[in-house]
Amino acid sequence: MKKILLISSISALTLTGIFFGCKKVEKGFISDYMFYSPNPLIATQGNVTNSNSIELDGTTGPVKVKLLAVRNSDTGQPAPEMTKEFTIKQFLGQITSADSTVALVNKKIVLKPALPLEVSEIGGRISLSQATAFVATGNYVIDVEVSNIKGTRQILNACRIQLLPKTYFALDAGAFVTTSDPDAETGFSDRINLPITVTYDNKGPNKIRFVFLDKNGVAFDASAGQVTTRGDRGNFSQMNPYFPLVRTSSALEWEFLDLPNGFPIKDGANGTGNYYRIPARFTVENRNANPVFFGFKALAAGSYTVAIQIPTVTKKP
């Protein structure tokens, strides 16, 4: 009798294992807590800005992402202008060293329709284009849909977008000036902050002017050799091979190209660094002045005056 009960128990366990072994195993995982970072995404009118891909929070990849809606987050109203096509300048291909003339660069620029805001289907990256120049500044928010092998999730208020007024130029922080011994690369002083002011005229010709001022606001005469470059160090002429440098009594001047992502697009010997010198013989202190600044970029057509005031030297009368 005991043997019969033992066999029956083993049979029951076997059947149970077969039952559960045949149960369908669900594939994948999709989180309810996917998110964007940074949030808000801060952009400026007319400039290209991209977010990171959506953070999946353990969701099984690959995922597909779809933009569902864009709203003005202050009013809650739809913002259809964010997904409307506008015509903008775009590059047809990468600008290389072979594109050495204005004509060759212009061959790679075309007018094409573009959306101010797009969300990549793969990865969900948010892209804001130059077409945001045609969209009002303000605060926006998007809803997206994310799907994978497991299913679909709608993420409402997925990312806030702050669209700031258009900037017409860029200039990196950290400009500095040193002084050094006359006619030598010795005796350098400590670096001190270099004040720079940029003035923009949207009605002027496409021209960039670097004006070097002493501590009293008097301009050094570039045409008389009072402003020079520093050997093989970087300068703006290296970044602008398309137009010749013009030296005037008050400035270094260049024409420039109005390009989709701003000008210049080439680096110099020190990346975006501009290294210049006021030779000691033109200063009361009999010291070279060595102003250095980085990252100047013209982001729209017009005239720019970049005034570099050197607080450590006085121009000789």
Side-chain angles (χ1 to χ4, degrees), residues 43 67 70-72 78-86 114-118 127-129 131-132 134-142 161-163:
L67 177 64
V70 189
R71 294 182 301 282
N72 183 306
E81 66 275 16
M82 274 290 201
T83 53
K84 175 184 174 182
E85 282 190 343
F86 297 92
L115 302 176
L117 183 147
E118 293 184 90
S127 295
L128 295 156
S129 77
T132 51
F134 302 99
V135 175
T137 59
N139 299 304
Y140 298 87
V141 65
I142 64 171
I161 297 166
Q162 186 177 6
L163 186 61

Side-chain angles (χ1 to χ4, degrees), residues 87-263:
T87 300
I88 63 170
K89 283 185 177 181
Q90 296 188 46
F91 286 118
L92 288 172
Q94 184 177 1
I95 305 298
T96 68
S97 57
D99 302 307
S100 56
T101 67
V102 173
L104 289 171
V105 172
N106 283 333
K107 282 184 177 181
K108 288 189 174 178
I109 299 173
V110 66
L111 292 175
K112 291 177 65 176
L115 302 176
L117 183 147
E118 293 184 90
V119 174
S120 172
E121 181 180 61
I122 305 301
R125 187 175 76 162
I126 302 166
S127 295
L128 295 156
S129 77
Q130 298 100 321
T132 51
F134 302 99
V135 175
T137 59
N139 299 304
Y140 298 87
V141 65
I142 64 171
D143 302 334
V144 298
E145 179 181 271
V146 183
S147 59
N148 69 353
I149 193 171
K150 174 68 174 178
T152 300
R153 292 286 186 274
Q154 289 189 357
I155 306 175
L156 304 181
N157 303 315
C159 188
R160 291 171 292 134
I161 297 166
Q162 186 177 6
L163 186 61
L164 301 176
K166 180 175 178 62
T167 55
Y168 295 95
F169 67 90
L171 180 65
D172 293 349
F176 66 90
V177 64
T178 61
T179 62
S180 57
D181 294 335
D183 304 316
E185 295 296 322
T186 59
F188 280 85
S189 67
D190 291 336
R191 298 178 177 185
I192 67 168
N193 181 57
L194 180 66
I196 297 180
T197 303
V198 181
T199 305
Y200 170 63
D201 177 7
N202 64 352
K203 294 182 174 60
N206 289 354
K207 185 175 287 188
I208 293 167
R209 301 173 70 244
F210 287 176
V211 178
F212 294 85
L213 308 171
D214 75 356
K215 63 183 180 182
N216 299 313
V218 179
F220 288 94
D221 186 344
S223 66
Q226 295 181 2
V227 180
T228 66
T229 56
R230 289 178 60 188
D232 60 353
R233 297 209 175 190
N235 59 74
F236 199 75
S237 288
Q238 295 172 352
M239 303 174 216
N240 183 7
Y242 310 109
F243 297 98
L245 166 63
V246 177
R247 295 176 177 273
T248 73
S249 60
S250 61
L252 305 177
E253 296 185 355
W254 301 263
E255 294 180 60
F256 73 93
L257 289 165
D258 178 23
L259 298 179
N261 296 331
F263 186 91

